[in-house]
């Protein structure tokens, strides 16, 4: 995905995810919230939409699968996953240190 590293580095994890999903949707019209929800096992499309808007907390178990669907290069994928986990995860101090490395 073009410029995904700059998107991830310049904004919050959730905002980056929202932007990258929107870009992917422009390129691949089947990449809808319904498609993503079905692929990763979310029962409600509205949950995903509200989570990406910041209205609901995105469950940690969906972070990896959503980012994986974006097909980013491995370093970008890990960076985005870690940013999202740091923002929304219920992490202990040792987890925070590990993810910031």
């Amino acid at each position: 995905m073009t410029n995904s590293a700059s998107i991830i580095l310049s904004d919050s994890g959730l905002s980056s995810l929202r932007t990258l999903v929107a870009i992917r949707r422009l390129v691949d019209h089947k990449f809808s919230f319904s498609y993503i929800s079905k692929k990763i096992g979310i029962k409600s499309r509205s949950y995903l939409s509200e989570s990406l808007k910041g209205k609901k907390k995105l469950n940690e178990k969906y972070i990896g699968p959503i980012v994986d669907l974006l097909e980013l290069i491995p370093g970008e994928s890990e960076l985005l996953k870690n940013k999202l986990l740091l923002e929304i995860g219920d992490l202990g101090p040792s987890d925070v240190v590990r993810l910031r490395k």
Side-chain angles (χ1 to χ4, degrees):
M1 190 173 287
T2 309
N3 297 320
S4 54
S6 61
I7 292 169
I8 296 167
L9 291 171
S10 67
D11 217 336
S12 71
L14 191 58
S15 181
S16 297
L17 180 62
R18 188 172 41 248
T19 300
L20 293 170
V21 167
I23 291 169
R24 177 70 186 271
R25 290 178 78 182
L26 290 173
V27 176
D28 182 359
H29 297 293
K30 76 174 185 176
F31 202 77
S32 64
F33 290 144
S34 294
Y35 173 82
I36 297 168
S37 297
K38 287 177 189 172
K39 282 292 207 182
I40 65 173
I42 295 175
K43 295 186 188 322
S44 168
R45 182 191 63 82
S46 64
Y47 166 77
L48 180 60
S49 174
E50 290 181 12
S51 295
L52 291 179
K53 290 177 184 175
K55 293 181 179 181
K56 288 190 176 181
K57 182 179 176 186
L58 181 62
N59 190 307
E60 290 176 39
K61 71 180 180 181
Y62 298 126
I63 291 173
I66 291 172
V67 173
D68 291 344
L69 282 175
L70 292 171
E71 299 175 348
L72 302 171
I73 62 172
E76 293 172 354
S77 177
E78 288 305 310
L79 177 61
L80 181 55
K81 288 176 187 177
N82 289 342
K83 282 184 84 168
L84 287 163
L85 285 170
L86 284 169
E87 287 176 18
I88 66 173
D90 296 323
L91 304 173
S94 62
D95 293 321
V96 171
V97 169
R98 177 180 54 82
L99 291 171
R100 287 200 170 146
K101 289 184 180 181

